[in-house]
Amino acid sequence: MTRPVYAVATNIVSSLGLDTDAHWSAALASRSGIRQYEDASLSENSFYASRLDPGAWQCIYAGTRQTTTIPLSPFEQMTLYSAKKALAEIEEPIDLSRTVLILSSTKGNIEWLNQKEDQRILLTTSAEIISKELGIPNKPLVISHACISGVVASIYGLRLLQAGRYEYAVIVGADRFTQFVLSGFQSFKAVDDTPCKPFDKERRGVTLGEAAATIVLSTRTAHPLAQLVSGATSNDANHISGPSRTGEELATVINSSLGEAGIKDSQIDLISAHGTATLYNDEMEAQAFTLSHVANAPIHSFKGYIGHTLGAAGIVESAMLLSAFRHQQLIPSIGYQLQGVTQPLNITTKALPSPILYGLKTGSGFGGCNAATVWKYIC
């Protein structure tokens, strides 16, 4: 019999605050952390983004500098801070010898490119440093799989715990807002010159953000937040940056996840979509939700709050899904006014109370990758 795996703690660090509760409060108020910036070191033109303010960075520095043995990069500091805060939420003692760290990131220390030696910039180096600082003796793992990295890291943690390899998995995702990332998306003409509007008729592209987020998974049943029931991945092999036009491949992983969970499509009570607000991504997701018969479920994208946070996105958005479980309320999708996709979707616009037992998290990314997980609320 497969071992059940539970989420036992979460943390989110972004422009909205330094813990998950701060992000839930923002969701209830439909309050975004996206702001307009003028910064010639990052872009010739003004841009909208979600960035940590100096006060937040001061808290992060104060919360990490006392335990570090070598200088950490800002990326490593925010990652370590989030992981420590999540672990501090767990009431029972943790056997760190039975724990693994899984780091999810797309760019890591990319801002150190041509400034530090290559070995220091590697994500594996960052993971080893962070794991050591947390006191975890086991070799850490890195998932860097475009924008589905956080969802894939969750699935990988699920499989390791189901197999009995570990009792705990600390899944932490992080990415910084950098000139490299901004210019890259600008080169695709994929950045909106206003705050992003997922699934809306007037959407014109992404807003980028930075964040670190952590979910701690465990096979132990004390004080669970929710159960991670299933997950799956696929690749549509359509284009290096453009998603499938049909949504069939994302629908495949949704159906696979539902099948592994042993539930029907009608049992999904909430969908946390990838929802980047690009023309092609949102349309593809709408097609996939229709093909997998879950389009009637309440759907939201959290990217209207803190933008697309790349390797952190799947962890941030899963942690918010768990908050929706806890409060039995839907999360509003900021920026949505008029339907902008060809398939009808049930986009949430208000934080209404609603019974939520099963939640679906989806993700898609460059290279045609897709992922989905199913979570179950533990009453």
Side-chain angles (χ1 to χ4, degrees):
M1 183 176 179
T2 303
R3 299 180 181 207
V5 173
Y6 306 97
V8 294
T10 69
N11 172 266
I12 307 173
V13 171
S14 81
S15 60
L16 291 177
L18 299 179
D19 56 43
T20 307
D21 285 345
H23 290 73
W24 180 254
S25 296
L28 290 183
S30 294
R31 176 170 51 83
S32 175
I34 296 171
R35 302 287 182 268
Q36 187 174 25
Y37 292 90
E38 300 272 357
D39 189 337
S41 68
L42 296 172
S43 177
E44 294 180 357
N45 302 314
S46 64
F47 58 91
Y48 282 87
S50 169
R51 305 176 66 188
L52 297 176
D53 63 29
W57 280 112
Q58 287 180 358
C59 291
I60 291 169
Y61 298 150
T64 57
R65 66 172 179 236
Q66 294 180 346
T67 61
T68 56
T69 55
I70 63 172
L72 300 183
S73 68
F75 161 72
E76 291 158 353
Q77 287 175 318
M78 66 193 296
T79 305
L80 177 60
Y81 181 88
S82 178
K84 289 177 64 177
K85 295 287 280 188
L87 288 168
E89 295 289 320
I90 302 174
E91 297 179 8
E92 63 177 354
I94 292 180
D95 183 358
L96 294 177
S97 69
R98 297 284 294 152
T99 301
V100 63
L101 173 77
I102 304 178
L103 174 63
S104 162
S105 183
T106 65
K107 295 296 180 284
N109 285 321
I110 195 71
E111 59 195 302
W112 272 359
L113 197 62
N114 298 323
Q115 297 180 30
K116 303 285 184 179
E117 60 183 23
D118 291 348
Q119 184 67 34
R120 181 63 184 87
I121 300 174
L122 292 177
L123 280 171
T124 50
T125 300
S126 295
E128 289 167 357
I129 292 171
I130 294 162
S131 189
K132 182 178 180 180
E133 291 297 332
L134 293 172
I136 299 173
N138 299 306
K139 185 177 180 63
L141 302 169
V142 171
I143 302 294
S144 187
H145 201 326
C147 299
I148 69 170
S149 296
V151 184
V152 174
S154 300
I155 296 171
Y156 202 63
L158 169 68
R159 302 295 184 229
L160 288 173
L161 269 59
Q162 286 177 330
R165 295 275 300 276
Y166 303 97
E167 288 184 354
Y168 291 92
V170 181
I171 318 292
V172 55
D175 264 310
R176 288 257 292 159
F177 184 93
T178 65
Q179 192 272 337
F180 183 96
V181 172
L182 177 60
S183 63
F185 277 87
Q186 286 175 333
S187 71
F188 285 114
K189 301 187 184 303
V191 179
D192 199 337
D193 57 5
T194 64
C196 65
K197 298 171 280 292
F199 300 106
D200 187 70
K201 183 179 180 180
E202 300 299 324
R203 73 187 188 281
R204 293 192 297 271
V206 302
T207 298
L208 295 167
E210 62 185 354
T214 304
I215 295 178
V216 182
L217 300 179
S218 174
T219 55
R220 301 177 69 87
T221 59
H223 311 295
L225 303 176
Q227 181 182 355
L228 179 52
V229 184
S230 61
T233 63
S234 73
N235 193 286
D236 56 49
N238 176 70
H239 188 269
I240 192 171
S241 61
S244 163
R245 298 296 189 264
T246 66
E248 293 178 35
E249 295 79 11
L250 177 58
T252 296
V253 298
I254 293 173
N255 290 332
S256 179
S257 298
L258 294 175
E260 183 186 345
I263 63 173
K264 300 177 181 179
D265 47 66
S266 59
Q267 291 178 262
I268 292 297
D269 302 307
L270 172 67
I271 298 175
S272 172
H274 192 54
T276 62
T278 61
L279 294 176
Y280 293 131
N281 174 89
D282 290 9
E283 176 63 22
M284 183 277 289
E285 279 199 288
Q287 298 281 355
F289 295 148
T290 300
L291 288 171
S292 55
H293 307 290
V294 296
N296 289 330
I299 298 170
H300 73 271
S301 166
F302 199 70
K303 290 182 175 62
Y305 292 88
I306 59 172
H308 193 346
T309 55
L310 307 181
I315 310 297
V316 169
E317 293 157 14
S318 296
M320 289 303 297
L321 190 154
L322 302 188
S323 290
F325 280 159
R326 173 187 168 193
H327 296 279
Q328 292 291 286
Q329 284 185 274
L330 303 177
I331 297 174
S333 199
I334 293 179
Y336 180 83
Q337 294 183 326
L338 297 173
Q339 179 175 308
V341 291
T342 60
Q343 304 298 316
L345 297 178
N346 183 13
I347 303 296
T348 302
T349 58
K350 295 182 180 179
L352 299 174
S354 182
I356 306 169
L357 179 59
Y358 286 101
L360 174 70
K361 175 74 197 101
T362 58
S364 298
F366 286 170
C369 55
N370 306 287
T373 50
V374 171
W375 294 83
K376 181 182 180 181
Y377 177 52
I378 305 298
C379 303

